[in-house]
């Protein structure tokens, strides 16, 4: 029931994820951020089993930081994607992670890029990608409206169309989404699209 998707525009990459923490028929919270900032110019959006997702993305984040600490230079987006794929491939033969990943980044030499990595360690560099039940709708919307060289405004408009389609078509659609962007100025949160807010916990 998770929805994670992303696309590459003119000088930037955007990733979007639902924010629902769900188990069986229960929604535990609706503000779970599934997009982690790997370093100053990389984002990793993940879907899958909650424990695997959190543990694996934190493991990748700390190893990317360790590489930069040891060598004095950050990994490129392609190198980080290949490292992520390698760790999934190694785990696949021991204790597999059920995690699907979209890794977005920006490099001075090559510009923005987006990598699609699934739980069986298949990796592709893509212009647009999606995971989860929401992918049936977001991929069809992006196939129809996506074009190379999109501006930020065009990309956000397309993201909003995808979110609207998921909310209106998917019977178990998540209510809230977080949007993050990475460009020459770094990786950061761009916006939230909320239709449900978690109720505040009453004080004792």
């Amino acid at each position: 029931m998770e929805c994670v998707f992303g696309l590459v525009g003119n000088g930037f990459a955007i990733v979007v994820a639902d924010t629902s923490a769900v188990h069986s028929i229960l929604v535990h919270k609706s503000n779970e951020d599934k997009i982690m900032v790997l370093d100053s110019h990389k984002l990793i959006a993940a879907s899958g089993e909650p424990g695997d997702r959190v543990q694996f993305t934190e493991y990748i984040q700390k190893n990317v930081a360790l590489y930069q600490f040891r060598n004095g230079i950050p990994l490129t987006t392609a190198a980080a994607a290949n490292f992520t794929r390698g760790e999934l491939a190694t785990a696949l033969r021991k204790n597999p992670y059920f995690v699907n990943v979209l890794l977005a980044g920006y490099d001075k030499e090559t510009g923005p890029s987006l990598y699609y990595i699934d739980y069986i360690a298949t990796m592709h560099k893509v212009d647009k990608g999606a995971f989860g039940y929401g992918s049936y709708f977001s991929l069809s919307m992006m196939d129809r409206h996506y074009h190379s060289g999109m501006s930020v405004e065009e990309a956000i408009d397309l993201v909003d169309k995808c979110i609207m389609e998921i909310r209106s078509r998917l019977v178990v659609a998540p209510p809230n989404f977080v949007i993050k962007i990475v460009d020459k100025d770094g990786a950061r949160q761009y916006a939230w699209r909320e239709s449900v807010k978690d109720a505040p916990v009453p004080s004792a």
Side-chain angles (χ1 to χ4, degrees), residues 59-143:
Y59 171 76
I60 296 299
Q61 183 191 47
K62 302 313 177 192
N63 274 276
V64 167
L66 178 63
Y67 179 91
Q68 184 170 356
F69 180 72
R70 281 177 169 170
N71 298 281
I73 56 170
L75 284 169
T76 63
T77 307
N82 277 282
F83 171 73
T84 303
R85 193 211 73 81
E87 292 303 309
L88 276 172
T90 301
L92 187 65
R93 290 152 181 84
K94 296 177 181 177
N95 187 21
Y97 294 103
F98 187 71
V99 179
N100 300 303
V101 168
L102 284 177
L103 196 153
Y106 184 91
D107 301 296
K108 286 182 180 178
E109 297 79 14
T110 57
S113 54
L114 180 69
Y115 289 86
Y116 169 108
I117 310 165
D118 70 12
Y119 73 102
I120 51 173
T122 301
M123 186 183 81
H124 292 287
K125 184 178 181 182
V126 295
D127 289 328
K128 57 187 185 298
F131 286 113
Y133 281 124
S135 67
Y136 294 113
F137 310 103
S138 55
L139 283 174
S140 61
M141 291 298 290
M142 288 190 287
D143 282 341

Side-chain angles (χ1 to χ4, degrees), residues 6 18 37 183 185:
D18 75 281
V37 176
D183 57 17
D185 299 319

Side-chain angles (χ1 to χ4, degrees), residues 18-39:
D18 75 281
T19 60
S20 296
V22 178
H23 178 70
S24 184
I25 61 170
L26 296 177
V27 177
H28 295 295
K29 61 188 293 193
S30 56
N31 59 355
E32 174 81 3
D33 191 350
K34 298 174 184 175
I35 307 174
M36 179 178 281
V37 176
L38 276 188
D39 64 18

